[in-house]
DNA sequence: CGGCGTCTTGACAAAATTCAACGCCTGTGG
DNA sequence: CCACAGGCGTTGAATTTTGTCAAGACGCCG
């Protein structure tokens, strides 16, 4: 399945805020509808683009979700991002005219195809679009930064906690439940993304479950104690505006023998 | 020291390729010179901007170097990037209208101040500038991606090796020696950036030295065996275009007792 | 109902952190 | 010009964390 449907209309797209569109005059809106060349539907596992492909368009995710990954040539893949509806895919190709990773659908998904020359042309005329596009790129960079911080400074438990909280917030932003959701990716992908082994992901989730932070049933996740999770995540928890707090906890007890650091933090909080 | 000098001229700036400017008509060049509002000189340790500051401008580094860091509120700082001449600072503020990190000069430095509204205005008129700016942002994103891969998948030795190689290449791009340079940052900053402890950085460098991969004298670095370093860095070594190779090595011997993995890889290569 | 991919859990090994001590280099002040 | 303080870098030993290997459970799809 790889069909491209012609229908397209940005002006009434539900993604508004999240995607490229923004508040514009009626006249500008007409222009905006020229942005999207087509829609494209992808089945689970299908690739939207591959590393090395000629760059030509960016894609706004209309429904579904994706992972971005880079091949390590020993066959293994390193996951570098997870994206969901409203997110923009393909900006990794802008810098070099070739995509720098593979974009793979995690479930059946639909994207809007936005030819980049067209985006540049229209954003030269429609100031609001120009600014919005820059903001989208800017936010993507900040997201990358946040992940770098996580990978650079956090233990396994903190990584997983921050990961769950980020997912939670992103689902909420899209109108879904913040406390209950289905993971679209498997443990291996999560581990790859977080820089830990899939076994470690599993262990940490089990520990969280035991501590009543989250209910875990395979891919189904229910967050039971968000403040507790944020506590475990420490500084990396939710840094949408600027920075949060880790600090205070760093002083806490040196963690007992067979219990994970995560657990000790939690018990200190009182689940 | 925090003076802002009025003088400015993009059309004859030596940074050309690296910075915003690109090949344009004489007429466009005049416009381009309006880009830079002023120059600003910073002393070592001085902050160009801080996380949370109102975003207003991006900065092109004319000379010197910077680190970007985020406060962890337990007083510790996490370094998320190192930048040098020709790089652009401040794009982290575009997404949210507030800078998301602190930019600190690692040595006495000079930056060009580019008011963002001005950049957007001129790039609406000068197509080449628009495109070039997008490419600069795009390249920054790819750089972030590469670091994420490093932090996500690499051992300490691989991280340090990749770090040295990246520095080497970036110096070379700027016309300096690729094999001999001075680190502008201390071990703690390197460790923070690479997600390892400063002691580990030191140990790895010592090991590299013993293996005759690099000569290390405090901040002075001389690369003695670049292929060997690339070998140690594995897949993360130099991925400017797309991906490289790790693969083959993953199969190698399980590393002997008191010798670092890096060392075993090297000896297998033959320094 | 069975097979298979995915997830969980345990035991052990390896890697990196932590804590601590010491040496080196720089810049300052006598 | 030398001595010394303080920051920075190096190294060692013990400990924690994570990875690795292996086995078994679970759930989903055919």
């Amino acid at each position: 399945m790889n069909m491209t449907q012609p229908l397209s209309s940005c002006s009434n797209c539900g993604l508004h805020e999240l995607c490229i569109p923004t508040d514009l005059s009626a006249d500008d809106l007409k222009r905006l509808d020229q942005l999207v060349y087509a829609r494209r539907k992808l089945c689970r596992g299908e690739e939207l683009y591959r590393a090395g492909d000629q760059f030509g368009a960016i894609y706004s995710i209309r429904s579904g979700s994706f992972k971005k990954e880079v091949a390590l040539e020993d066959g293994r893949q390193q996951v570098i991002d997870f994206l969901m509806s409203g997110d923009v895919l393909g900006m990794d190709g802008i810098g070099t005219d070739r995509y720098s990773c593979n974009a793979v659908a995690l479930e059946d998904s639909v994207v809007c195809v936005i030819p980049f020359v067209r985006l540049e042309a229209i954003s030269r005329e429609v100031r609001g679009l120009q600014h919005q596009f820059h903001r989208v790129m800017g936010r993507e960079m900040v997201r990358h930064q946040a992940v770098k911080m996580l990978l650079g400074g956090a233990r396994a438990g903190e990584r997983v906690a921050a990961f769950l909280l980020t997912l939670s917030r992103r689902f909420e932003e899209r109108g879904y439940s913040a406390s209950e959701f289905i993971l679209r990716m498997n443990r291996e992908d999560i581990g790859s993304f977080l820089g830990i082994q899939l076994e470690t992901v599993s262990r940490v989730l089990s520990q969280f479950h035991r501590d009543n932070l989250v209910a875990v049933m395979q891919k189904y996740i229910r967050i039971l104690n968000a403040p507790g999770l944020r506590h475990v995540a420490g500084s990396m928890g939710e840094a949408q505006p600027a920075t949060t707090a880790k600090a205070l906890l760093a002083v806490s007890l040196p963690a007992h023998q067979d219990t994970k650091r995560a657990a000790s933090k939690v018990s200190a909080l009182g689940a």
Side-chain angles (χ1 to χ4, degrees), chain A:
Chain A
M1 192 184 300
N2 200 325
M3 52 191 300
T4 52
Q5 304 161 293
L7 44 122
S8 62
S9 165
C10 287
S11 30
N12 63 1
C13 172
L15 301 176
H16 259 348
E17 278 287 295
L18 294 168
C19 178
I20 303 283
T22 176
D23 40 302
L24 301 166
S25 74
D27 190 47
D28 286 340
L29 278 178
K30 268 203 319 210
R31 280 225 174 76
L32 241 159
D33 282 342
Q34 303 176 336
L35 254 189
V36 173
Y37 165 73
R39 296 242 182 89
R40 184 167 156 197
K41 187 170 188 302
L42 293 100
C43 290
R44 181 177 176 202
E46 214 180 328
E47 288 172 329
L48 178 58
Y49 58 79
R50 297 180 57 82
D53 285 355
Q54 172 73 40
F55 169 71
I58 62 175
Y59 306 88
S60 171
I61 304 177
R62 184 125 174 112
S63 67
S65 50
F66 288 78
K67 65 176 170 183
K68 296 210 288 192
E69 59 184 11
V70 178
L72 255 33
E73 306 217 348
D74 55 345
R76 299 190 43 63
Q77 303 277 141
Q78 161 114 4
V79 176
I80 54 176
D81 215 354
F82 292 116
L83 301 166
M84 50 208 291
S85 69
D87 288 333
V88 176
L89 271 163
M91 295 194 287
D92 50 281
I94 295 175
T96 58
D97 264 331
R98 302 211 163 264
Y99 295 106
S100 67
C101 57
N102 306 331
V104 182
L106 290 171
E107 60 190 312
D108 293 0
S109 304
V110 177
V111 299
C112 294
V113 182
I114 303 174
F116 193 61
V117 287
R118 206 179 283 192
L119 173 62
E120 286 197 325
I122 299 179
S123 75
R124 255 177 277 126
E125 296 169 8
V126 182
R127 186 183 159 149
L129 174 65
Q130 179 197 39
H131 194 62
Q132 181 64 10
F133 170 59
H134 290 162
R135 290 175 71 91
V136 168
M137 280 198 91
R139 265 185 277 147
E140 171 113 344
M141 292 209 313
V142 173
R143 264 191 341 112
H144 282 310
Q145 271 189 6
V147 175
K148 285 209 294 197
M149 288 189 56
L150 195 68
L151 296 177
R155 309 232 152 277
E158 300 171 307
R159 295 184 194 204
V160 175
F163 176 71
L164 292 177
L165 289 167
T166 299
L167 274 186
S168 167
R169 179 174 51 72
R170 305 192 83 210
F171 276 120
E172 189 173 29
E173 285 170 359
R174 284 154 181 79
Y176 301 112
S177 168
S179 63
E180 202 171 350
F181 48 85
I182 305 287
L183 297 175
R184 262 38 199 258
M185 67 296 285
N186 60 26
R187 300 289 191 264
E188 182 170 9
D189 283 342
I190 296 173
S192 175
F193 176 65
L194 294 178
I196 54 184
Q197 298 306 114
L198 66 101
E199 292 95 329
T200 305
V201 174
S202 189
R203 273 186 255 272
V204 170
L205 284 176
S206 299
Q207 184 64 43
F208 285 176
H209 199 158
R210 259 171 263 136
D211 297 332
N212 286 313
L213 288 170
V214 296
V216 181
M217 290 173 55
Q218 268 75 232
K219 298 205 192 286
Y220 167 87
I221 299 284
R222 176 193 269 269
I223 295 181
L224 302 173
N225 178 359
L229 257 192
R230 270 188 281 275
H231 190 253
V232 172
S235 179
M236 335 302 300
E238 278 292 83
Q240 185 68 322
T243 326
T244 329
K246 179 171 191 161
L248 321 163
L249 324 178
V251 200
S252 71
L253 22 164
H256 23 112
Q257 54 288 64
D258 69 21
T259 317
K260 301 260 176 242
R261 174 167 173 175
S264 60
K265 278 189 178 178
V266 169
S267 56
L269 224 209

